[in-house]
Amino acid sequence: SGLYGRVLCLWPLKSIGTVSYGLYMTHILVFVVIGSFELRMLQYGAWGNLAVVVTRIVLSFGFAALLWVGFEKPILRLKRRFESPREVQREAPAAELVPETVLAD
């Protein structure tokens, strides 16, 4: 609730949160792969640096989004097939989990 909550619910931030693990795991790989591009852009000064930053961001997010769609999302869909009865019981309301002797005190 409030302004902070509304800002965190904006679709760009939610999208970043969705692909954040893939982004964390792969951004360095993207940086290494475009290393030669970065060296070629040095001759253009600040504009070259801006091009490198924009390219890094676009490729990193693109790769992370592809990972999400092609790898993470299908795996997460499988997790509901492996829920044990014990895990379902853990989702009971907290009052049901507290022993009655504790509640009587």
Side-chain angles (χ1 to χ4, degrees), residues 21-33 56 60 63:
Y21 185 71
L23 188 63
Y24 165 72
M25 294 299 292
T26 61
H27 74 281
I28 296 297
L29 174 66
V30 171
F31 289 12
V32 170
V33 167
R56 284 178 171 178
S60 294
F63 190 51

Side-chain angles (χ1 to χ4, degrees), residues 19-69:
V19 300
S20 64
Y21 185 71
L23 188 63
Y24 165 72
M25 294 299 292
T26 61
H27 74 281
I28 296 297
L29 174 66
V30 171
F31 289 12
V32 170
V33 167
I34 66 165
S36 62
F37 171 72
E38 184 176 355
L39 292 175
R40 282 186 268 135
M41 296 308 288
L42 285 175
Q43 64 185 340
Y44 299 107
W47 289 108
N49 289 338
L50 180 62
V52 168
V53 169
V54 169
T55 303
R56 284 178 171 178
I57 290 171
V58 168
L59 291 178
S60 294
F61 275 97
F63 190 51
L66 286 175
L67 261 175
W68 166 253
V69 171

Side-chain angles (χ1 to χ4, degrees), residues 62-99:
F63 190 51
L66 286 175
L67 261 175
W68 166 253
V69 171
F71 184 71
E72 288 183 68
K73 189 175 179 181
I75 288 176
L76 289 174
R77 264 192 251 131
L78 292 174
K79 111 175 142 174
R80 68 182 141 200
R81 294 184 183 196
F82 296 100
E83 279 187 354
S84 69
R86 189 179 301 162
E87 289 174 347
V88 174
Q89 286 178 343
R90 285 188 198 150
E91 295 174 5
E96 293 178 16
L97 298 176
V98 178

